[in-house]
Every structure is written in C-alpha cells, then in structure tokens.
Amino acid sequence: MKMNNSIRSFNSKGERIPVTVLGATGMVGQVFMWMLETHPSFKVVSITAGDSRKGKSYREATRWQLPVPFPETYGRMPFSTLNDVLAAPTPIVFSALPAEIALKIEPMLAESGAAVFSNASAMRGKENVPILIPEANPGDLGRIKKQQWGSGGFIVTNANCATTGLAVALSPLRKFGIKDVFVSTCQSVSGAGYPGISHMDIAGNLIPFIENEEEKIKGELSAILHLNVPIFPSCVRVPVRFGHLETVWAKLGENVSTTDIRESWEKFKPPAHLPSLPETPVSYLSDPAQPQPALSFAGTPPGMAVFTGGLKKQGNRIGFILLVNNIVRGAAGGSIANAELFLEGWDRHLEAQSAVPQFDS
Ligand SMILES: NC(=O)c1ccc[n+]([C@@H]2O[C@H](COP(=O)([O-])OP(=O)(O)OC[C@H]3O[C@@H](n4cnc5c(N)ncnc54)[C@H](OP(=O)(O)O)[C@@H]3O)[C@@H](O)[C@H]2O)c1
C-alpha cells in the first residue's frame, strides 16, 4: 500500500493532496470542480474530458450548468489526455466518466497505483470494490485491502444517485428491521448528464423509463444496507433540472411511531467529522408541501443533505418523501466524502458486516 501511505503523508504535512478529475466538463465533473475549489484536503491539478477539448482551458471548454459560481481558480487549467493521466497518475483520481470508458480506464489507473473514487457504474459491485456511503456502510471501505492492483491502487465507487438518497434515509431505520421497500422516483434531467435529454422530449412531459435504473436501485440498496428483502422500484424522468424526489413505503419489523422515525433521523450522524458531510445527513421538513427539488442546493454543505418529509404510517408500514441532489450528494459529493473517509483511516476495517459501527441513531 505504497501510494496509500503517500496520500496520508501529504495530509499529515497539512498539504492539499493533488487530484485529477476525469470528465470535468460533464454534470458530475462540474460539481467536482466546484466542490474541490476550496476543499481543505484536495486540490485539482489535472483534468480530462473528451478528445475535442484538447488545447482548451477549463473555462473555454465548459458550458457551466450549475446554480453556483464557476470555480475561477481552475478556469485557466488546460486539459490533459487520459493517456497523460495514466502515465503519471495523481495519488487520488475522481472519475465522472461514462461507464463504458470507466470500465477500461479505472482498472488501469488502480493498477498504476491511484486511489480511484468513481461515480460510474462500471466497477460497482466487482469483486472487493465497495459501493460506499459513509453514513450507511463505512466499514465496507475495508474491502479495498483485498483488491489486487499494483502499488497500492484501489477503486471505490459510490452508489447510483437515486439509491444514495434512499440508502441514507433508510440507514438509521435498519434497527427497526426493514422487511420490504417500495420506491417511486421522479428524477431530474441532470441525472442524464449534459447535454442529456432533448428539451423537445421532456418539456411538459414525463418519461417512465430510465435504463437499468430499477435494477441498480435493487442491487445497490441491498449491497449497501446489507439487506436481503424485496425492493420494488419504479423510476420516472421529470422536467426538473436538479434533484430526485422519491416516494417511499417501507415495512418495518416493529410497529414504531412516526416520532421514533423522526428521532432516528434527527440523531443520525456521520461516522466521523468529514468536511463534505452535513452534521445531520437526514433533515426532516415538517411543512407538508416539502421537500421540493427547489431545495436541491440547500443546506451545509450545499446539496449534501437528504431532505425527508410527509411521514405517515399504516400499521408496520411507514411512508415518506425524500429529496436527494443527484449530482452533489448522489454523485461528486458522495465520492469526495468517500475519499475523506479514506483519509480518516476507515480502510482499517476489513469486513463489511462486522465492521459497521453501531451509531447513536
Ligand atoms: N448525472 C448524475 O446525476 C449522475 C449521478 C451519479 C452517477 N453518475 C455517473 O457519473 C458519470 C458522469 O455522469 P455525467 O452526468 O456527468 O455525464 P456527462 O455530463 O455526459 O459527462 C461525461 C464526461 O465524460 C467525458 N467523456 C465523454 N466521453 C469521453 C471519452 N470517450 N473519453 C474521455 N472523456 C469522455 C465528457 O467530456 P466532453 O464534455 O468532452 O464530452 C464529460 O466530461 C457517469 O458514469 C454517470 O452514470 C451521474
């Protein structure tokens, strides 16, 4: 684990660790560049995008889509090629590549010794590659020790965006015994990347199909929460820019009150102080008309909280609505939090189940 030690040595000297962002012009890549501009531990030193960006600066090549300021610090940064990055990888690489490119590039980077934190689905669930959410399954980070790449490289993935919101909201409810989960999603267009879906297809319309999304929710939620129960997802694309809204019904093993559920969310904390995670990862809103996607960039840090609302129950079933910012909490912010968890030394946990700590939830 040579490279891993060098990552921690940067950190112990108080230096920001040099990182690369792959796919920096895309929806998720833009969030990385915004969040990493002022990050206390990571500093972007190289970026990539498609071949046509060669020779351009980040500002010239990027059509800024976020409702937050463009990261001027990185505006003049030129694009590297994927081959440049493979030849001399930074200690940490954040990947926002399309899955088919990630499948090829991420293993090569890990083999070259890089710590790869990826949003792409390509490597999710491959042998010993954790699908990690710090609040839900921090102990699964220990699985990187069993990866067989050269020079201490490894790959950590984060979950699909809709799964992330669901896993964070359900995580503190595991103690009540989750028996099944029904979830219907309303997913924003930014979830399809940029330029993504044609305006003509989605304006004033809904599209009740998102390729592989329901399968991802089923497989990833089970893996992250270590659940083996029926999960029934239905996914719809809606004409909203940012934020996925999800209607959830879950059967619990106990007849708990809505007060118990709300208290579990209020007391739920991250496993450690990580700069990119809110102190309260799940925030319940009592206003019956909330949460709405208009709140996607609310909270501290912006876009990282999962908002819940509309809590109700019927016997052992509870119902609620949740909002997750798909490109921040459900993508780049999740990867950054995973890298922060690694810096905290959470890879010392070897096995998933036994290492999941008992939170005060
Ligand atoms: N959007 C979300 O809500 C979300 C959430 C979770 C996970 N993800 C995953 O995160 C990844 C990025 O998603 P996104 O929404 O940001 O996609 P996107 O907006 O389409 O951006 C893709 C990025 O990859 C670059 N790229 C495309 N083809 C390439 C190639 N052949 N070689 C090198 N770079 C290439 C693009 O560069 P150019 O601009 O030059 O084409 C762009 O920077 C995907 O795997 C996606 O499934 C997305």
Side-chain angles (χ1 to χ4, degrees):
M1 291 250 155
K2 213 167 67 191
M3 183 69 103
N4 293 354
N5 293 336
S6 90
I7 293 174
R8 294 219 175 83
S9 79
F10 271 106
N11 202 39
S12 62
K13 285 188 256 163
E15 291 171 31
R16 290 169 80 193
I17 300 161
V19 305
T20 299
V21 175
L22 306 179
T25 52
M27 285 312 315
V28 177
Q30 292 189 20
V31 178
F32 272 126
M33 298 301 279
W34 164 59
M35 290 187 78
L36 293 172
E37 189 179 26
T38 53
H39 195 279
S41 306
F42 309 127
K43 178 182 172 185
V44 180
V45 297
S46 59
I47 52 177
T48 74
D51 289 344
S52 64
R53 314 297 184 171
K54 207 173 168 189
K56 295 191 176 138
S57 69
Y58 187 59
R59 174 167 271 303
E60 284 168 332
T62 305
R63 287 196 66 181
W64 192 247
Q65 295 296 320
L66 307 185
V68 294
F70 179 85
E72 294 297 345
T73 313
Y74 300 136
R76 295 171 69 176
M77 188 172 283
F79 284 89
S80 302
T81 63
L82 286 173
N83 281 338
D84 296 335
V85 176
L86 283 168
T90 50
I92 289 179
V93 176
F94 290 111
S95 170
L97 290 173
E100 60 280 12
I101 319 284
L103 186 62
K104 207 172 120 201
I105 298 296
E106 292 176 2
M108 290 164 86
L109 281 164
E111 190 59 39
S112 310
V116 181
F117 292 90
S118 177
N119 285 276
S121 58
M123 296 300 292
R124 281 182 207 149
K126 298 266 191 227
E127 202 183 358
N128 294 318
V129 175
I131 308 173
L132 194 69
I133 298 180
E135 300 96 321
N137 60 336
D140 283 359
L141 182 56
R143 293 175 60 196
I144 62 174
K145 294 197 165 174
K146 294 188 173 170
Q147 293 182 22
Q148 303 287 323
W149 312 107
S151 308
F154 61 84
I155 301 173
V156 171
T157 60
N158 44 333
N160 154 279
C161 40
T163 309
T164 299
L166 190 56
V168 172
L170 289 178
S171 187
L173 310 185
R174 275 183 291 190
K175 64 188 175 191
F176 301 125
I178 296 171
K179 301 295 178 199
D180 66 28
V181 180
F182 289 77
V183 57
S184 304
T185 69
C186 296
Q187 302 190 208
S188 65
V189 285
S190 58
Y194 181 79
I197 297 168
S198 150
H199 177 80
M200 291 303 287
D201 289 334
I202 194 80
N205 196 18
L206 303 173
I207 302 173
F209 174 68
I210 304 175
E211 198 172 358
N212 293 330
E213 195 76 355
E214 298 178 0
E215 291 74 16
K216 285 181 191 168
I217 292 175
K218 280 197 257 186
E220 295 177 20
L221 190 69
S222 307
I224 293 162
L225 296 185
H226 304 156
L227 281 180
N228 185 15
V229 301
I231 298 167
F232 303 93
S234 306
C235 298
V236 178
R237 185 75 70 196
V238 301
V240 163
R241 278 172 77 80
F242 305 109
H244 293 353
L245 201 74
E246 303 178 26
T247 305
V248 184
W249 279 97
K251 186 173 178 187
L252 302 177
E254 297 173 38
N255 192 354
V256 289
S257 68
T258 52
T259 310
D260 291 334
I261 302 290
R262 283 184 58 169
E263 268 183 20
S264 300
W265 282 330
E266 277 156 25
K267 290 185 182 163
F268 186 48
K269 299 289 170 212
H273 171 74
L274 304 181
S276 298
L277 288 185
E279 280 174 30
T280 307
V282 185
S283 185
Y284 184 79
L285 304 175
S286 304
D287 179 343
Q290 296 290 356
Q292 298 176 4
L295 284 185
S296 282
F297 281 83
T300 310
M304 285 299 286
V306 172
F307 291 104
T308 54
L311 181 62
K312 52 204 163 230
K313 64 171 287 203
Q314 286 184 25
N316 280 19
R317 274 190 191 284
I318 57 150
F320 63 93
I321 310 283
L322 74 83
L323 172 71
V324 59
N325 183 320
N326 53 297
I327 52 173
V328 180
R329 187 61 177 95
S335 277
I336 294 171
N338 286 344
E340 292 169 355
L341 192 73
F342 171 74
L343 274 192
E344 277 286 313
W346 271 75
D347 52 317
R348 65 184 179 269
H349 294 282
L350 250 185
E351 270 311 325
Q353 282 287 35
S354 57
V356 174
Q358 298 304 304
F359 300 131
D360 181 21
S361 59

